[in-house]
Amino acid sequence: MSSSTPWTVDHIGIAVPDIDAAIALYASTAGTAVTLREKLVDRGVELAFLNTGGTKLELLMPLKDDSAIARFLAKRGPGLHHVCYKVDDIRAEMARLERLGAKLIDTTPRPGASGTLIAFLEPSSFSGVLTELCEYTDS
Ligand code: CO
């Protein structure tokens, strides 16, 4: 029971303590530019999406000490936080993954950046990597 089409890597999430420094680093090294920057105050995180020639990068910086990103940084330091795959039908994929026994963090999709629906999946179900699914709903 496989997915009909392979998932496409949409972006790679990187946890950083200083988003301005990381934006400047990737601009000078990888030649990226910010395409979207957003503070999600309720989730305690500031995001910046960077355009590479292909898969996007998402920088994530904590806005408060009790946020999930702050706990991640305190425990593991800066680095790879999650991989996000773009899917055509997020609800169908989540149902299929549940049937396969994968553990879902979000049991229903929620709004993400740029008119997406997103859901996170447990790292233990994906080779130790926190995994995000996204569906673009307005294109
Ligand atoms: Co993401």
Side-chain angles (χ1 to χ4, degrees):
M1 204 160 54
S2 63
S3 178
S4 54
T5 53
W7 294 349
T8 302
V9 178
D10 181 80
H11 64 266
I12 295 167
I14 300 170
V16 299
D18 181 339
I19 201 164
D20 289 307
I23 288 168
L25 169 73
Y26 282 97
S28 64
T29 56
T32 57
V34 175
T35 56
L36 177 76
R37 188 163 176 177
E38 190 170 15
K39 284 184 186 175
L40 305 179
V41 175
D42 56 325
R43 301 189 73 83
V45 62
E46 180 167 354
L47 315 171
F49 279 87
L50 309 179
N51 67 337
T52 73
T55 303
K56 291 170 285 205
L57 302 179
E58 178 187 18
L59 304 174
L60 305 107
M61 178 181 79
L63 292 173
K64 55 184 183 182
D65 289 342
D66 61 348
S67 62
I69 289 291
R71 288 192 293 274
F72 179 95
L73 280 174
K75 192 173 163 190
R76 305 177 56 169
L80 177 66
H81 181 260
H82 67 272
V83 174
C84 178
Y85 299 91
K86 177 175 175 261
V87 297
D88 292 333
D89 184 339
I90 194 169
R91 289 181 179 84
E93 286 301 280
M94 290 168 72
R96 192 175 61 80
L97 290 169
E98 275 199 302
R99 289 196 297 275
L100 291 171
K103 295 192 184 76
L104 282 55
I105 296 173
D106 295 301
T107 52
T108 55
R110 56 187 169 86
S114 301
T116 55
L117 285 173
I118 65 167
F120 279 93
L121 312 166
E122 285 282 356
S124 61
S125 292
F126 289 89
S127 308
V129 178
L130 178 63
T131 296
E132 178 183 10
L133 298 182
C134 70
E135 175 188 338
Y136 286 80
T137 57
D138 59 355
S139 60

